[in-house]
Amino acid sequence: SITYPYQIGLGGIQDESLIYKMGRDIGKQCKRLGIHMNFAPVIDVNNNPENPVINFRSFGEDPDNVARKGWLYAKGMQDEGIIACAKHFPGHGDTKTDSHKDLPIITHSRGRLDSIELKPFKYLIDSGIMSVMTAHVYMPSIDTAANVAMSISPNAINGLMKHDLGFKGLAITDALDMQGVSKYYGNGTLELKALLAGNDILLCPANVPRAIDTIRAAVLDGRLSMTELDNKVRKVLQAKMFAGLDVPATQPYTNLVADLNNKDAVDLYTKLIEGQICLAKNDSGCVPLFAKSYKRMAVLALGGLGLTGFEKRM
């Protein structure tokens, strides 16, 4: 199937209707493949050039641009019956650490988080995003408990996400086998903490049988109420109904390649590539090139033999 441009490129697109159309197209392709949920969009704000894990996955450094484009992408998918997921709550953009390998720390004040990192999440929650993925990052301005990532923090999920921001959809952990959380808690304990914090779905538990045993024990001794567990299951079932999983699948497996690479999808891909080409900097006003009456223009290409495509165009 078609590989769409990275979000960092899409962030420069001026005709934002293309982002919605891309969401619709990705939704159609997911449906055709039998996929009902897409862990997208990333709505982290790319405000740290040393970030090793978000960078090109973000729409950019402007929270409002990230919010608008993130929702258009998500709405496109949801309009096709695909469950979209905003990630990584409350924001993974300003880190130098990869949470697959360790627990990143973000020390910003709550006021700063409200004005930048949380802005896109509030926008998508208010607009109707169906699920939110929680981040393996440590933010002491939200929860000071040692080594407690936002993905397992009651303050972050039950408090900030669900109570303060009013999110009613599915809260999903980032993968629980990532070192950002797995290095601090044993199998089973981690999954229970994630549920108690407010998550509804546990992604990639390292040891499923042990997690089930630990959660069952917590229900029996009253740490986790059966009512709370039932509410989480009900939300999952409602999401499955939205995605059409209460009806047997009827999609044929034939002609998949042709269906996924249809003309409309290829045309949209071309428009996205063209639309993301933008002028990043023009301080000296040298663009457009021939706006001034230059007598001569020199083009310098370093490396390689023969004329480049750019030189030929010039």
Side-chain angles (χ1 to χ4, degrees):
S1 62
I2 291 170
T3 301
Y4 290 95
Y6 288 123
Q7 283 186 203
I8 197 69
L10 298 175
I13 287 180
Q14 300 300 304
D15 180 3
E16 294 185 340
S17 68
L18 292 174
I19 305 296
Y20 173 75
K21 290 174 183 175
M22 183 190 76
R24 291 287 298 262
D25 205 52
I26 289 173
K28 290 174 184 174
Q29 297 211 10
C30 285
K31 267 287 170 72
R32 184 66 185 90
L33 289 165
I35 296 168
H36 306 93
M37 183 175 199
N38 187 7
F39 289 142
V42 170
I43 57 168
D44 298 309
V45 180
N46 189 43
N47 48 11
N48 190 328
E50 297 182 54
N51 195 312
V53 66
I54 302 301
N55 48 66
F56 58 82
R57 301 164 70 196
S58 166
F59 282 115
E61 73 279 4
D62 178 359
D64 295 315
N65 188 47
V66 170
R68 286 195 316 273
K69 287 184 168 68
W71 171 240
L72 288 168
Y73 182 6
K75 179 172 169 53
M77 289 189 289
Q78 290 183 178
D79 284 351
E80 291 294 333
I82 297 297
I83 301 165
C85 181
K87 64 185 185 182
H88 307 81
F89 183 88
H92 201 321
D94 198 0
T95 69
K96 296 181 183 179
T97 305
D98 183 347
S99 53
H100 292 86
K101 301 173 183 178
D102 207 342
L103 181 61
I105 300 173
I106 297 177
T107 57
H108 297 311
S109 68
R110 176 60 193 274
R112 146 66 196 248
L113 294 175
D114 284 337
S115 65
I116 297 181
E117 280 79 7
L118 285 169
K119 217 172 182 182
F121 288 99
K122 185 178 188 313
Y123 186 91
L124 267 72
I125 287 171
D126 289 345
S127 299
I129 190 74
M130 292 189 67
S131 69
V132 173
M133 182 179 288
T134 54
H136 301 326
V137 297
Y138 176 60
M139 293 184 178
S141 63
I142 294 174
D143 196 329
T144 57
N147 300 323
V148 171
M150 297 296 94
S151 53
I152 56 172
S153 164
N155 289 359
I157 305 170
N158 279 331
L160 176 57
M161 183 197 295
K162 294 188 173 182
H163 181 269
D164 296 353
L165 299 182
F167 181 57
K168 305 298 183 188
L170 292 168
I172 304 173
T173 68
D174 206 342
L176 292 174
D177 58 358
M178 290 164 59
Q179 290 296 303
V181 285
S182 63
K183 69 183 287 184
Y184 297 104
Y185 300 96
N187 295 333
T189 302
L190 176 58
E191 286 75 13
L192 176 59
K193 286 182 76 69
L195 280 183
L196 290 171
N199 287 292
D200 303 300
I201 294 179
L202 309 178
L203 181 61
C204 294
N207 188 324
V208 173
R210 188 176 297 175
I212 291 172
D213 289 343
T214 305
I215 293 165
R216 181 186 290 115
V219 172
L220 292 174
D221 67 21
R223 283 174 292 160
L224 176 63
S225 74
M226 202 64 216
T227 300
E228 189 176 353
L229 203 56
D230 285 342
N231 287 338
K232 295 178 187 298
V233 172
R234 185 178 294 106
K235 285 167 68 174
V236 171
L237 293 174
Q238 288 170 337
K240 287 186 174 186
M241 286 189 69
F242 165 84
L245 285 167
D246 53 334
V247 178
T250 57
Q251 284 274 37
Y253 293 109
T254 54
N255 301 318
L256 261 179
V257 174
D259 289 348
L260 294 171
N261 295 278
N262 63 79
K263 183 180 181 303
D264 289 344
V266 173
D267 288 348
L268 176 61
Y269 171 76
T270 303
K271 289 177 182 176
L272 290 167
I273 293 294
E274 291 174 347
Q276 72 177 14
I277 298 171
C278 59
L279 184 59
K281 194 173 184 180
N282 192 29
D283 291 347
S284 60
C286 63
V287 178
L289 292 174
F290 299 103
K292 299 176 182 177
S293 56
Y294 294 112
K295 292 183 178 179
R296 292 179 180 175
M297 181 74 67
V299 179
L300 176 65
L302 302 177
L305 300 173
L307 289 174
T308 65
F310 178 75
E311 289 173 287
K312 290 176 183 176
R313 184 79 180 191
M314 288 291 290

